[in-house]
Amino acid sequence: MRIYNTLTQQKEEFKPIEPGKVRMYVCGMTVYDYCHLGHGRVLVAFDVISRYLRHRGYDVHYVRNITDIDDKILARADENGEIYSDLTGRMIKAMHEDEARLGVLSPSEEPRATAFIDEIIAMIHKLIGSGHAYAADNGDVYFSVDSFSDYGKLSKKKLEDLVAGARVGVQEAKRSPADFALWKAAKPGEVSWDSPWGEGRPGWHIECSAMSTKCLGDTFDIHGGGPDLLFPHHENEIAQSECATGHKFVHTWMHAGAIRVNKEKMSKSLGNFFTIREILEKYPAEVVRYFLVSSHYRSQVDYSEDSLAEAGRTLTKLYHALRGITPAKDSDVPEGDHDRRFAEVMDDDFNTAGAIAVLHAVANDINHYRREGNEDQAKRSAAVLVRLGGVLGLLQQDPEAFFQADTGGELSAADIEAMIQARAEARKAKNFAEGDRIRDELLEQGIVLDDSREGTTWRRG
RNA sequence: GGCGCGGUGGCAGAGUGGUUAUGCAGCGGACUGCAACUCCGUGUACGCCGGUUCGAUUCCGACCCGCGCCUCCA
């Protein structure tokens, strides 16, 4: 299996540190607002990655943290006039709802920064002791980037450039403009924790170093996150962790691609972001997931109404293949060519676009077999489709549930069934005009009818 | 300015030194009372210029264009 490593800028043969086991850490959310589609992309990308690693037989220990203390959280809580922990509690709950709807499985562990203050302080203490960090006069503690000769190895940045490019008005207390805070002194009235350097709270970067080291050890296999975390966050994590432990921090660095909206990066600073829950009001969750999975995790994707609509049509087609048949028992269907092809493309840096092409090939088989009246083979292929779809977190619903999911239309399922019944009677009496009228009426409500030998089924289009 | 990524058919999106991506949309046909679904068939492609090669969309170099990071951001 080959994985693209941001650190070496190439695909590398993946060799876990401990055979059969994968230790993976992904930077999660800072919980001061609802998750947006960019978060969704990271969530889904690493969900697929962990699912596939498990499918490949690895014992995956997947840690994804929650940053539940930071400047933005305090600012927002202040704005809302609430205690910061009430805000983070609400947002964590919302995040878990969004994840569940997108079919993202829970990570093995979900550490929160505020529960790791002791470990954070211990790590900072160690860094000061070894001369990699210093307590400044203002109560902050900074990491000294000059003390780490490898600084910049992930982002390929040169320290001189960073220092030269630093904004004017940098913190006076810093020895070098590129130094970053490990511990921030508390401002009056702010929530804080006691430390050897006075009351304060951890900086953002040190949290991840402390949590990942505590949960996964000094060195682990995969560290992932969003594209904009590469610098400075991940660069800083490397500096902190490698200086604190004396060991290599991470073998493989993985970064997801950015989501764009109208040719612009979707970001909080641009204010052009869509929250996951906003999008889920308009599209079924699995369609959103299909959209995200249908392009490679490292590529940039454009969010648009059209692309979601297309994803919906395509997923509908796949579910049509599964409609009305009971898949064979998974264990009765040994791995075949499609399984092998699927593994081949996924082994190549998780090529989900290629994997979806395999799904379509399997769906094609099912439709062929059904046309030939070969129910048995159709059921076996259906088992393969559900099996492979499951690795991508797709096609796990009952097809009727997918087709008939209530999207807030005016008609209930019972109303629709009644109209279909009326139409069937009209058609039986050769009153096609009336039958078509009913069909058109349903179509106006977004209900599409599919006739087959066995009768008429419907879906919300 | 520094560092990095990318330019594939109407659109989305994989991949490859010589041979089918796949999907959506379109077109023709089969099925259907008519449709939908499904099936069969079908067209349009690799930014530009050089180089390497028997042969390059695929490798190398220049160029043009787009994008990301360099500042809180997934």
Side-chain angles (χ1 to χ4, degrees):
Chain A
M1 184 160 65
R2 289 153 57 79
I3 302 179
Y4 184 87
N5 186 353
T6 311
L7 187 64
T8 58
Q9 300 173 279
Q10 56 190 4
K11 285 183 195 171
E12 296 172 342
E13 188 60 32
F14 179 66
K15 281 255 187 303
I17 295 163
E18 199 177 321
K21 222 178 153 177
V22 177
R23 296 200 295 269
M24 176 164 98
Y25 183 91
V26 172
C27 290
M29 259 40 81
T30 299
V31 284
Y32 69 100
D33 205 343
Y34 293 115
C35 293
H36 63 227
L37 190 57
H39 295 111
R41 160 97 119 149
V42 172
L43 250 17
V44 169
F46 288 98
D47 181 60
V48 168
I49 287 164
S50 66
R51 282 175 190 253
Y52 183 67
L53 289 169
R54 291 195 175 105
H55 175 74
R56 268 307 231 91
Y58 288 108
D59 173 16
V60 179
H61 191 70
Y62 175 20
V63 178
R64 195 184 62 221
N65 77 292
I66 294 174
T67 295
D68 61 351
I69 182 68
D70 118 310
D71 290 340
K72 292 186 295 297
I73 290 170
L74 295 178
R76 180 64 60 87
D78 198 44
E79 253 172 59
N80 294 353
E82 65 184 330
I83 303 168
Y84 88 98
S85 53
D86 286 351
L87 171 66
T88 56
R90 265 200 349 267
M91 290 307 151
I92 289 168
K93 184 164 169 283
M95 174 180 83
H96 286 152
E97 287 165 6
D98 292 344
E99 272 175 54
R101 292 186 65 189
L102 287 175
V104 172
L105 302 174
S106 299
S108 322
E109 278 188 84
E110 204 171 34
R112 301 180 187 188
T114 54
F116 284 74
I117 301 292
D118 290 348
E119 286 80 2
I120 290 167
I121 289 175
M123 190 174 257
I124 296 174
H125 197 72
K126 213 168 172 181
L127 288 168
I128 293 177
S130 54
H132 291 292
Y134 56 93
D137 298 340
N138 61 0
D140 288 354
V141 178
Y142 295 104
F143 183 89
S144 171
V145 293
D146 288 324
S147 75
F148 183 55
S149 59
D150 273 349
Y151 194 79
K153 69 177 170 182
L154 180 68
S155 56
K156 323 297 174 211
K157 292 183 189 308
K158 292 199 187 76
L159 203 46
E160 309 91 81
D161 297 337
L162 289 170
V163 172
R167 298 282 167 96
V168 213
V170 290
Q171 281 279 347
E172 301 281 327
K174 290 182 185 178
R175 289 181 190 165
S176 162
D179 290 352
F180 54 90
L182 299 175
W183 187 261
K184 295 183 169 191
K187 297 187 185 89
E190 250 178 26
V191 60
S192 63
W193 287 262
D194 195 27
S195 84
W197 319 284
E199 291 285 311
R201 60 193 162 81
W204 176 37
H205 314 299
I206 194 72
E207 295 169 10
C208 280
S209 282
M211 288 187 272
S212 60
T213 301
K214 172 77 176 180
C215 297
L216 296 171
D218 289 357
T219 306
F220 52 94
D221 299 293
I222 295 172
H223 189 132
D228 37 15
L229 297 187
L230 205 156
F231 186 89
H233 187 56
H234 292 160
E235 192 68 64
N236 292 353
E237 275 188 62
I238 293 175
Q240 295 160 342
S241 290
E242 300 199 344
C243 288
T245 69
H247 297 121
K248 183 174 184 178
F249 182 40
V250 167
H251 279 274
T252 306
W253 282 92
M254 298 181 71
H255 292 92
I259 298 273
R260 309 183 75 214
V261 176
N262 298 327
K263 310 282 183 195
E264 263 188 327
K265 185 192 158 180
M266 179 169 80
S267 74
K268 293 190 175 169
S269 52
L270 289 171
N272 64 344
F273 63 94
F274 291 88
T275 64
I276 291 172
R277 42 195 53 209
E278 228 169 357
I279 291 168
L280 292 183
E281 278 173 23
K282 299 170 77 172
Y283 303 97
E286 191 172 350
V287 169
V288 178
R289 184 175 175 106
Y290 183 91
F291 165 69
L292 293 172
V293 171
S294 61
S295 52
H296 188 92
Y297 75 90
R298 278 190 286 120
S299 67
Q300 204 170 244
V301 298
D302 272 293
Y303 169 80
S304 70
E305 304 269 316
D306 285 351
S307 52
L308 267 287
E310 184 186 321
R313 282 191 295 271
T314 307
L315 190 59
T316 296
K317 185 184 159 154
L318 289 174
Y319 265 116
H320 261 297
L322 291 173
R323 198 172 205 183
I325 51 175
T326 310
K329 206 171 142 211
D330 184 66
S331 53
D332 290 346
V333 184
E335 287 205 353
D337 288 345
H338 290 310
D339 292 272
R340 282 185 285 275
R341 176 64 188 156
F342 183 90
E344 195 183 310
V345 296
M346 285 297 282
D347 270 356
D348 182 15
D349 197 27
F350 308 100
N351 183 354
T352 51
I356 281 179
V358 176
L359 259 40
H360 284 288
V362 179
N364 235 289
D365 283 359
I366 297 172
N367 290 327
H368 270 283
Y369 288 133
R370 298 175 106 175
R371 245 181 115 75
E372 290 168 5
N374 191 341
E375 278 297 308
D376 194 52
Q377 277 301 328
K379 286 180 175 180
R380 292 168 67 84
S381 288
V384 174
L385 185 54
V386 171
R387 171 162 72 209
L388 297 181
V391 178
L392 302 179
L394 298 170
L395 302 174
Q396 301 304 292
Q397 296 186 66
D398 174 71
E400 296 311 317
F402 172 79
F403 287 126
Q404 303 178 356
D406 195 341
T407 44
E410 288 170 27
L411 295 172
S412 71
D415 295 337
I416 295 165
E417 297 291 354
M419 288 172 74
I420 288 173
Q421 187 55 39
R423 171 171 173 263
E425 279 160 21
R427 292 176 73 207
K428 205 169 175 185
K430 303 274 181 215
N431 186 354
F432 293 120
E434 172 63 7
D436 290 351
R437 190 195 63 73
I438 295 172
R439 186 172 64 197
D440 289 344
E441 196 182 322
L442 283 165
L443 193 58
E444 272 175 39
Q445 299 292 320
I447 308 300
V448 181
L449 301 187
D450 299 308
D451 292 329
S452 74
R453 233 169 296 162
E454 292 78 33
T456 298
T457 52
W458 60 277
R459 60 192 151 95
R460 299 186 193 268

